[in-house]
Amino acid sequence: MTTTKPSSSDVITNSLPSLSKLKQSHEAELKSQIKITNTLKVAVQDYVEKQAQTIQKFNSHSDRRRILMEKIQDLIDQASALETDNRECQNKVDSLDREMLEVRDEQRTLEDDYSNRMNEVRGKITGSKKNYSHEVVVRRGEELREEKRGLLERCEAIEELIKMEKEEEKEEEEEEMIQGT
């Protein structure tokens, strides 16, 4: 028996169908892995995009929070300034109230002094020590002014009468002179 040794080309030729099947199976597996890889790439891209959107939202919220915190701080500062202004205004109001009370006290004192002086003057004029109220004094002053006006009118009327009498006397004297000549 003779054993023939297969040549390398025969080995290659004989193994070609099995290599071709192996190649096809590897290509099929490669295509399957490419599909899986592409699916994973798409999934990873989606995940990365979602994470980027989440981060962007978070940053946006963080910016909004920062802006809101700044606004809140501004409002707190404004409220503090207003509170300070209110305290200053209240101090001014309190000061004005004290001044007004002092002025009222001074006014009462002046009114009392005036009333006392007027009563002294009335007492000297009338000989009475009776204490009259301000209203009585004003009313009596009006009455006295009316009396004075009435007296002045009577004086003017009397002066007019005296004038008329003097003119009549003059006219009579002139007539007598004219008749006597």
Side-chain angles (χ1 to χ4, degrees):
M1 293 215 307
T2 54
T3 20
T4 48
K5 195 174 177 188
S7 70
S8 60
S9 68
D10 287 335
V11 170
I12 292 175
T13 305
N14 288 335
S15 55
L16 273 178
S18 65
L19 284 176
S20 150
K21 285 182 180 178
L22 185 62
K23 178 184 168 197
Q24 284 175 353
S25 105
H26 280 301
E27 284 176 352
E29 190 176 329
L30 182 64
K31 283 181 183 178
S32 169
Q33 286 188 359
I34 288 174
K35 280 183 182 179
I36 292 171
T37 304
N38 286 340
T39 305
L40 286 174
K41 279 183 185 178
V42 168
V44 167
Q45 283 178 344
D46 286 345
Y47 179 75
V48 167
E49 285 177 11
K50 284 180 183 176
Q51 289 300 318
Q53 288 173 354
T54 304
I55 290 170
Q56 188 176 9
K57 284 180 185 176
F58 178 77
N59 288 340
S60 176
H61 288 301
S62 294
D63 289 344
R64 286 184 192 148
R65 281 188 198 119
R66 183 183 48 78
I67 289 169
L68 287 174
M69 290 304 289
E70 288 173 0
K71 286 182 180 179
I72 289 170
Q73 188 59 45
D74 286 346
L75 290 173
I76 289 171
D77 293 344
Q78 288 175 3
S80 176
L82 286 173
E83 189 176 332
T84 302
D85 289 348
N86 286 344
R87 270 189 255 122
E88 289 174 7
C89 287
Q90 186 61 46
N91 290 341
K92 286 179 183 178
V93 167
D94 292 345
S95 174
L96 289 173
D97 284 344
R98 284 190 298 273
E99 286 181 38
M100 195 164 58
L101 288 173
E102 290 171 4
V103 167
R104 283 184 185 159
D105 287 344
E106 191 175 324
Q107 182 182 5
R108 271 190 229 111
T109 303
L110 290 174
E111 287 174 355
D112 291 346
D113 287 348
Y114 175 77
S115 179
N116 289 337
R117 282 193 219 138
M118 288 304 293
N119 286 331
E120 287 175 11
V121 168
R122 267 190 240 86
K124 288 179 184 175
I125 292 172
T126 62
S128 169
K129 298 291 181 180
K130 197 169 185 181
N131 188 4
Y132 294 102
S133 70
H134 180 68
E135 291 82 20
V136 171
V137 171
V138 169
R139 185 175 37 115
R140 183 64 184 140
E142 285 297 317
E143 291 171 359
L144 290 174
R145 280 191 276 289
E146 283 298 316
E147 284 180 37
K148 182 180 174 183
R149 271 187 236 122
L151 289 173
L152 284 174
E153 288 173 0
R154 281 182 57 203
C155 286
E156 288 174 359
I158 292 171
E159 284 178 1
E160 195 65 37
L161 283 173
I162 292 173
K163 217 187 234 184
M164 286 172 51
E165 284 180 9
K166 281 185 182 179
E167 285 179 11
E168 284 177 11
E169 283 178 17
K170 229 184 202 185
E171 286 177 9
E172 285 177 12
E173 284 178 12
E174 286 177 5
E175 282 180 23
E176 285 178 13
M177 281 175 96
I178 293 178
Q179 288 176 357
T181 27

